[in-house]
Amino acid sequence: MVRETESWQWLAEGVPALAMALLLGLFALVIVLLARPGDWGTQAVRLMPASDARESTGATLPVSGRSDAHAVARLQLENVPRQPGEPRRMVWLAREPVAAVWLQGPGWRSPPRRFFAPDADEGLVPGAYLFPLPDSAGGEIELHASGDVALALKPHLIGEDDAIRLTQRTVALSMLVYAGTFSLALVAVALSWTVRERYFLSLATAAILSGLVFGACNGHLYTVPGLRLLGGLGERGLWGLSLACTAAVLALVSQVADRQRSNQQRLIQGMVLVLAISAMVLMAGVAQLAPWGPYIVQAGLTLAGAAALFALSGAVWQRIPMALPALALSLLTLTALAARLMLQESVGAVVAWTRYGYQLALLALLVVLGLGLIARIGSYREQRDRERNARVASERRMQREAGRTALTRVLQARLRELAPADVEWTAFRLMLEHLLPHVTAVSAAVIAHGYHGRDVLVTEPIDDRRLVEGLEGTRLLMLKRQSLSGRPLQHALAGDARRTIEAVVPVAVGAQGWGALLLQRVGGAEFDDDELATAAEFVRLTVLHANEAVATQALKRTAELDGLTGTLNRRSIDQWLARESGRRHGERTLSLLFIDIDHFKRINDLHGHACGDHCLRTIAAALRTGLRAQDVLGRYGGEEFIALLPDCDVATARGIAEALRISVEDCVVEWQGSRLRLSVSVGVATRAPGEQPAALVDRADRALYVAKREGRNRISVGPAVFPG
């Protein structure tokens, strides 16, 4: 998961950077090929003021922009007849938003060309105003222009072939920006639909309005069926579209530059609203605002540009993706727009950059802002991945904690019921069953040497021995060394074509031995730190509970046994009898032998208590040898023993008692060079139906009294009821 997140982070940072590099390379290529000086290849015509017109300056014809303004200038041409095969001469004018423009000479007049109402013969994408000159044209001709937009016309004399080539280049530039805005809008709509993010609609709106503004400023919008109606608005349509586009671009900049919805964003949203309202008011044709239209547009552009630069500067400081290139392209767009406005005032050269630079720069800015929004998807995805990874990690921790709790519970419940020899094997078996759901492995095994004095081998699957094959020599030494290192290790098994990874987790079995948990995974994927930590924790818990179970059983045995003879003590005998009498179903036959050492007080008096203790141990050993495996022997007090014989009738009990008596009688006790002979008296009682333990012991005790009274070293079987 970490590698996947790192790969996505590299992709999220690398793709926008690569796209930005390609965009800037394409932008530079367009500037070099279509906008280098001299590409226009034209020769300015000297203009002379007409006697009844506003005087022109230099080589431009200014149009005042006042209502019904009409400007006229005389063009001085050389009266040189056109030679056969020579291209026609043409007057070329950049396509500016004039109401009408035409040429007039002695005896001839060109058809007028209109910006807001193009003629059908100009085509769908007219590139300029072209006026072919008659072959006889020479000397002075008049250039007429009228319109409500303040601008300056600069006519150029050019050959027909060059005019066609130049017009094609202007059309190519126009189509480039149209295709770019259309594609960007299409991609933005697709992204909005795909990722369900509304800010891509802002990108689509800005791209669509930019395309409309480009089409309106180039005069191509009014050739499109359905949009020709905008030509009726004249310059008001230009102003309104310009302000609407400015509002959309500013809103998009705010989306990219400010993600926290701060006061700055709310201020920019207010400016966007004002620009949108101003656009609608100008397009509505309020008469009082008509003279102020150009100034309102210029003020809106200035304020929006300043707000965009301020917002993007803050975004650069916050290291928001694509903020720096967006800031640079914003400056470039504002510079190119200023050059375009200055060109209308006849300041600057008429080249592709001054006429179309702002369109190219704005298109590049929109692309960069789009990349910034796309980078936001990467940030959101990275955040989502972090949250998902945290959630998955939390769920895994909860599952492992649940497994840990379940293992603890089952170890506590199961180990206390087991015989001491079964504790270690069962504990590790339970551990593997609870561990493997949390650690993926094809096989697992626990190897322990010298654990509580035993060797343990547990495998999972239980019949799979491949993991522990060849545990001798170098491999055994390596596992022992790894287990004694105290930390989990893993390695790839040599000579395995499937690339099997083996993890070795130490098992702390004590200073006298060593142990290891082996886990194998096929496919080359290593065990991660969480899995190894989980395995180590499960091993620790298992060893802890196994040690506690062994220690508890040892303490229990110590509490149950008589410290001198190693037989059960009186308390354990009473508990055994209580459990036996508590059986409700299938009550079995039970016989009890009450055994007493004859004249034991004399031994203590003559030879000392140490000798008496030695005799007790010797007799206890002799009694155990004469009992069956299921029989129970305990020291009931002093020199008295009780033997419990389950599933034994009175006849069999009498035979066992006789064998015990003979075994003790034949036993010779060596003590400090003396040979002592001992004997025992035995009282036998068989439990009657419903008889309580105390009554059974009492009957056996009375039978023992009878045996002693009759001379000792004999057996007496107690009747059901003794006479009072």
Side-chain angles (χ1 to χ4, degrees):
M1 185 63 67
V2 174
R3 293 179 180 175
E4 180 182 353
T5 303
E6 292 176 353
S7 300
W8 169 251
Q9 184 177 4
W10 178 88
L11 192 63
E13 296 176 355
V15 170
L18 179 61
M20 185 62 195
L22 293 175
L23 176 66
L24 293 178
L26 178 61
F27 186 75
L29 180 63
V30 170
I31 295 299
V32 170
L33 294 180
L34 299 179
R36 63 178 182 268
D39 264 356
W40 295 81
T42 61
Q43 178 182 359
V45 181
R46 181 173 178 270
L47 298 181
M48 300 176 61
S51 58
D52 58 347
R54 177 182 174 184
E55 182 172 337
S56 62
T57 59
T60 62
L61 173 63
V63 179
S64 66
R66 294 190 299 271
S67 180
D68 298 327
H70 182 204
V72 182
R74 293 193 301 271
L75 283 69
Q76 185 67 36
L77 303 178
E78 295 182 3
N79 192 3
V80 179
R82 183 166 69 96
Q83 300 298 323
E86 185 179 359
R88 287 189 304 171
R89 292 181 299 172
M90 307 187 78
V91 173
W92 186 94
L93 287 171
R95 197 166 187 86
E96 297 288 357
V98 296
V101 60
W102 68 90
L103 291 179
Q104 185 173 339
W108 65 274
R109 177 178 175 173
S110 68
R113 297 300 185 187
R114 299 175 179 83
F115 185 82
F116 297 104
D119 294 330
D121 63 343
E122 293 185 86
L124 185 63
V125 187
Y129 299 123
L130 295 178
F131 298 100
L133 296 176
D135 294 341
S136 59
E140 293 182 357
I141 60 175
E142 294 179 349
L143 172 63
H144 295 258
S146 62
D148 296 336
V149 179
L151 49 84
L153 297 174
K154 181 174 291 188
H156 292 76
L157 183 63
I158 192 171
E160 184 176 12
D161 294 342
D162 292 335
I164 294 174
R165 178 180 57 83
L166 184 57
T167 302
Q168 289 175 345
R169 292 201 174 192
T170 60
V171 171
L173 279 172
S174 300
M175 296 306 295
L176 175 65
V177 295
Y178 299 155
T181 53
F182 175 78
S183 300
L184 187 59
L186 188 63
V187 170
V189 171
L191 286 172
S192 176
W193 177 264
T194 302
V195 301
R196 301 287 192 252
E197 291 291 351
R198 290 181 296 176
Y199 51 73
F200 281 110
L201 291 179
S202 299
L203 176 61
T205 302
I208 292 172
L209 288 176
S210 297
L212 292 176
V213 169
F214 297 159
C217 292
N218 297 334
H220 302 153
L221 188 65
Y222 313 110
T223 65
V224 180
L227 297 178
R228 292 177 181 176
L229 296 176
L230 292 175
L233 298 177
E235 72 283 352
R236 292 182 288 113
L238 281 176
W239 297 338
L241 285 175
S242 298
L243 286 180
C245 178
T246 303
V249 174
L250 182 58
L252 180 61
V253 169
S254 177
Q255 290 276 359
V256 174
D258 192 348
R259 302 180 181 179
Q260 306 301 324
R261 296 190 177 276
S262 62
N263 293 330
Q264 170 187 301
Q265 190 178 47
R266 286 190 284 270
L267 178 61
I268 291 180
Q269 288 175 347
M271 293 181 61
V272 169
L273 181 61
V274 171
L275 290 172
I277 294 174
S278 301
M280 290 187 291
V281 170
L282 288 176
M283 295 182 72
V286 179
Q288 291 79 2
L289 294 179
W292 300 94
Y295 304 106
I296 295 176
V297 173
Q298 292 179 12
L301 291 175
T302 302
L303 292 177
L309 293 178
F310 179 77
L312 289 173
S313 299
V316 172
W317 180 260
Q318 298 175 12
R319 296 185 178 180
I320 293 179
M322 308 309 293
L324 182 59
L327 177 62
L329 285 172
S330 296
L331 288 171
L332 184 62
T333 302
L334 293 175
T335 302
L337 185 59
R340 181 67 179 91
L341 295 175
M342 292 173 63
L343 186 63
Q344 291 183 351
E345 299 296 331
S346 191
V347 178
V350 182
V351 294
W353 171 248
T354 55
R355 282 194 53 80
Y356 297 99
Y358 73 97
Q359 299 181 16
L360 293 170
L362 181 56
L363 175 59
L365 174 62
L366 292 177
V367 173
V368 169
L369 293 175
L371 291 175
L373 294 179
I374 294 175
R376 184 181 299 184
I377 297 178
S379 300
Y380 286 164
R381 175 166 180 175
E382 184 179 352
Q383 180 180 357
R384 183 196 65 188
D385 288 345
R386 286 198 300 267
E387 293 175 353
R388 182 184 64 185
N389 292 341
R391 184 172 62 255
V392 170
S394 177
E395 291 175 354
R396 291 177 64 183
R397 285 194 298 270
M398 293 177 61
Q399 292 174 355
R400 290 173 180 174
E401 184 62 26
R404 180 180 180 275
T405 303
L407 176 62
T408 300
R409 188 181 300 113
V410 72
L411 288 174
Q412 291 175 344
R414 293 283 299 277
L415 297 186
R416 69 179 61 177
E417 302 173 353
L418 298 175
D422 298 331
V423 169
E424 295 82 7
W425 189 93
T426 304
F428 289 128
R429 165 58 52 196
L430 294 173
M431 182 200 72
L432 293 181
E433 292 176 357
H434 286 76
L435 173 64
L436 292 183
H438 303 285
V439 177
T440 304
V442 296
S443 56
V446 175
I447 304 170
H449 289 270
Y451 188 32
H452 300 145
R454 300 182 180 90
D455 291 341
V456 182
L457 175 60
V458 184
T459 62
E460 181 62 35
I462 195 169
D463 56 348
D464 188 357
R465 298 284 173 163
R466 292 175 299 174
L467 192 63
V468 293
E469 288 178 352
L471 283 181
E472 67 273 344
T474 304
R475 176 164 167 75
L476 184 64
L477 181 61
M478 180 191 69
L479 289 177
K480 181 178 180 180
R481 186 178 299 137
Q482 290 178 338
S483 66
L484 295 177
S485 67
R487 62 181 185 276
L489 301 172
Q490 58 182 319
H491 57 272
L493 296 182
D496 191 338
R498 300 178 300 171
R499 182 171 169 76
T500 300
I501 300 298
E502 182 181 72
V504 181
V505 180
V507 178
V509 299
Q512 303 302 319
W514 64 272
L517 165 65
L518 305 182
L519 300 169
Q520 284 190 359
R521 173 182 293 171
V522 177
E526 297 182 352
F527 295 90
D528 58 35
D529 294 340
D530 286 343
E531 291 177 314
L532 294 178
T534 300
E537 175 64 12
F538 276 50
V539 166
R540 186 189 68 81
L541 280 175
T542 303
V543 172
L544 175 64
H545 285 281
N547 290 342
E548 288 180 353
V550 171
T552 300
Q553 290 180 352
L555 289 174
K556 184 178 179 180
R557 287 195 301 273
T558 301
E560 292 176 347
L561 300 180
D562 174 61
L564 179 62
T565 62
T567 61
L568 293 181
N569 55 30
R570 179 169 181 170
R571 176 173 176 272
S572 300
I573 289 292
D574 291 339
Q575 290 177 346
W576 195 98
L577 285 171
R579 287 195 301 270
E580 185 67 19
S581 65
R583 296 185 175 213
R584 298 293 182 185
H585 303 286
E587 186 176 87
R588 60 182 177 175
T589 304
L590 175 65
S591 295
L592 187 148
L593 308 182
F594 211 129
I595 306 169
D596 183 76
I597 303 176
D598 297 332
H599 306 295
F600 186 74
K601 183 176 183 302
R602 184 187 306 170
I603 295 175
N604 283 331
D605 293 341
L606 294 176
H607 301 282
H609 288 280
C611 178
D613 293 343
H614 179 64
C615 291
L616 287 173
R617 287 192 292 268
T618 304
I619 291 177
L623 293 175
R624 276 195 293 265
T625 59
L627 293 174
R628 301 172 304 173
Q630 67 268 33
D631 297 337
V632 177
L633 177 66
R635 183 183 177 193
Y636 205 65
E639 67 277 13
E640 297 173 339
F641 292 87
I642 282 183
L644 302 171
L645 312 178
D647 299 321
C648 185
D649 56 18
V650 64
T652 305
R654 181 180 180 85
I656 294 175
E658 181 64 19
L660 295 179
R661 186 193 67 77
I662 295 173
S663 176
V664 173
E665 186 180 25
D666 293 341
C667 181
V668 178
V669 179
E670 300 283 347
W671 178 254
Q672 296 181 353
S674 301
R675 297 171 62 86
L676 305 178
R677 290 192 173 271
L678 301 174
S679 64
V680 294
S681 299
V682 183
V684 180
T686 301
R687 182 173 61 181
E691 187 177 21
Q692 295 299 315
L696 177 63
V697 172
D698 182 65
R699 287 199 300 115
D701 186 31
R702 291 191 181 193
L704 172 63
Y705 177 77
V706 171
K708 285 187 174 184
R709 189 174 59 186
E710 292 180 352
R712 293 184 171 85
N713 193 19
R714 66 190 62 241
I715 297 169
S716 175
V717 178
V721 177
F722 283 89

